[in-house]
Amino acid sequence: MRYGVIPTSPPEMIAAAFKKIPYPILDVLVGPIQAWALVVASGLGVLNSIATEQLTARELATRANCDEECLRLLLRVVRAMGYVALAGDRYRLTAKARRHFGPAAAEPYAAFARYGPPQWKMLERLASVVRSGRGVDFHNHQTAEEWRLYQAAMLENARGFGWFVAERMPVPSGASECIDIAGSHGYVSAALCRRHQGLKATVIERREALESARELATQAGHGDLVSFREGDLLVDSFGTDIDVALLCNILHHLSVESNRDVLRRVHTALKRGGTIGVFDIETPTARSRPEAAADALALYFRITSTSTCFQAEDYLKWLADAGFADRRVIRSVKLPSRMLITARKR
Ligand SMILES: C[S@@+](CC[C@H](N)C(=O)[O-])C[C@H]1O[C@@H](n2cnc3c(N)ncnc32)[C@H](O)[C@@H]1O
């Protein structure tokens, strides 16, 4: 994946050939402006309004109660990003945007957009993180409102990969107990329960997450498949006689030692034949070509938690050391840089 200032028209390509493009100026300004423009267009309800109707800037400005001239400028930026199209003087969402914004979005990201600014507050700490090597550990510093936005954003993120975990996760026959450790909204374990009759899930979550997580599960329609329990995955027991344990997008927040400890405790909690699934981002190897998304996320998790994403081999080794058999890495061409690692208790 590439992300950046990429000349597309002949004059831009000529300017690039003559080395006349001030890349640092554009890199410093364009990315943040585009990101803010998308967040604000979504937050003002502008993207929602043009999901189903084509509206002029004046109509949109009236509805959103904002300045028409500024709105036009904002919409030009969002058009350059490919989310909005203009036909005559009427704006509408593009097909890409309709998938992610508006009341009928198949894979909505409006909550993730709202959670953008709290994430940028963490990114502002990059220089001090690089100097000290210590991350922000945001789970210990979020306000109640940020927790609410975080959980809603995580549900949206989970819609994009939950199908993969549900399809590929091995589940012992007759399984009835699944634990979704740090499962937030419970979307992933609910998708698994839907595929395996008789399976019920328990999300184990931090206290701060529980209220929103329960509400989200009810709104999303899987409140009957998932229950919620307060717990600290760093220290608490995960119970006994568990058939399936999921750890999605959590181990990249923890140190190597904590991850090894969590996997040992999951092993203790599982029945013989019980299975574990770790779904996470796969960090690029030191020798692989730098890539915009995976490398940015590896740095992001270092900033936000003092840990980072790991490689498949790391998980495989920790699982082997914790006593797990049948260890497998499952990837999908539809989910670049993500992987599901599964294993079984003998
Ligand atoms: C990145 S989200 C992933 C949520 C969900 N598993 C998913 O993939 O969509 C990480 C979750 O871990 C939870 N979490 C973080 N530290 C935790 C801890 N010590 N104990 C339990 N849950 C924790 C957070 O509250 C958050 O909901």
Side-chain angles (χ1 to χ4, degrees):
M1 195 110 23
R2 287 180 68 198
Y3 182 91
V5 178
I6 300 157
T8 50
S9 69
E12 290 162 358
M13 289 172 194
I14 291 167
F18 282 97
K19 302 194 176 6
K20 293 297 177 206
I21 295 189
Y23 285 105
I25 292 182
L26 299 179
D27 279 329
V28 167
L29 286 178
V30 176
I33 290 170
Q34 287 198 344
W36 270 111
L38 185 63
V39 166
V40 171
S42 173
L44 285 173
V46 167
L47 300 183
N48 249 353
S49 293
I50 55 173
T52 47
E53 302 177 75
Q54 303 197 2
L55 297 172
T56 65
R58 176 152 304 167
E59 288 164 342
L60 270 173
T62 307
R63 278 201 196 182
N65 192 22
C66 59
D67 179 82
E68 184 183 331
E69 177 57 20
C70 287
L71 183 61
R72 281 181 200 278
L73 294 171
L74 177 84
L75 286 167
R76 280 195 70 89
V77 175
V78 185
R79 277 174 66 203
M81 297 170 78
Y83 286 101
V84 170
L86 183 62
D89 63 351
R90 294 193 168 266
Y91 295 89
R92 62 171 170 78
L93 290 192
T94 59
K96 165 174 112 172
R98 275 202 307 281
R99 180 162 175 77
H100 300 310
F101 295 98
E107 199 183 313
Y109 285 113
F112 198 94
R114 280 200 300 283
Y115 189 54
Q119 295 182 85
W120 299 334
K121 265 191 344 202
M122 304 178 214
L123 302 187
E124 281 174 9
R125 309 271 293 274
L126 175 58
S128 91
V129 172
V130 171
R131 270 196 292 269
S132 69
R134 278 194 308 280
V136 175
D137 205 358
F138 72 98
H139 287 111
N140 292 328
H141 302 289
Q142 295 200 112
T143 64
E145 174 63 3
E146 285 166 353
W147 269 100
R148 205 179 57 73
L149 293 175
Y150 174 40
Q151 297 299 297
M154 289 306 101
L155 172 59
E156 289 184 345
N157 183 52
R159 286 184 209 275
F161 72 83
W163 60 271
F164 170 64
V165 176
E167 269 177 27
R168 306 301 300 275
M169 179 69 201
V171 172
S173 68
S176 58
E177 297 288 330
C178 168
I179 48 172
D180 190 352
I181 302 167
S184 180
H185 39 73
Y187 179 88
V188 183
S189 47
L192 192 66
C193 291
R194 283 206 181 90
R195 287 180 71 92
H196 297 274
Q197 220 192 349
L199 188 65
K200 285 262 160 82
T202 304
V203 164
I204 301 172
E205 255 296 343
R206 284 180 67 125
R207 182 183 41 78
E208 299 93 323
L210 282 175
E211 191 183 334
S212 320
R214 283 197 181 99
E215 271 173 32
L216 289 165
T218 305
Q219 283 161 18
H222 58 257
D224 55 328
L225 294 170
V226 179
S227 55
F228 292 82
R229 176 170 100 215
E230 181 180 337
D232 181 351
L233 72 93
L234 291 173
V235 291
D236 289 342
S237 153
F238 297 127
T240 50
D241 286 337
I242 304 298
D243 296 292
V244 181
L246 292 179
L247 286 149
C248 299
N249 299 309
I250 180 62
L251 298 186
H252 59 235
H253 284 298
L254 311 185
S255 68
V256 171
E257 274 324 301
S258 294
N259 283 336
R260 285 178 168 281
D261 180 50
V262 167
L263 298 181
R264 280 193 294 264
R265 276 182 290 125
V266 171
H267 189 267
T268 304
L270 286 172
K271 279 181 188 159
R272 287 180 127 206
T275 53
I276 180 171
V278 175
F279 177 85
D280 221 304
I281 297 164
E282 185 167 21
T283 201
T285 62
R287 266 187 256 155
S288 63
R289 268 184 62 196
E291 184 270 306
D295 281 302
L297 289 173
L299 178 61
Y300 174 86
F301 293 116
R302 180 71 201 203
I303 299 167
T304 55
S305 63
T306 312
S307 187
T308 191
C309 303
F310 298 96
Q311 283 161 16
E313 288 65 33
D314 297 316
Y315 291 113
L316 292 173
K317 177 155 192 351
W318 304 337
L319 285 165
D321 291 349
F324 283 97
D326 301 339
R327 300 171 301 276
R328 289 184 60 212
V329 184
I330 307 169
R331 299 183 177 88
S332 166
V333 284
K334 296 184 200 159
L335 294 173
S337 304
R338 259 89 44 94
M339 61 190 169
L340 173 66
I341 318 277
T342 64
R344 188 179 301 276
K345 178 168 171 174
R346 281 192 196 91

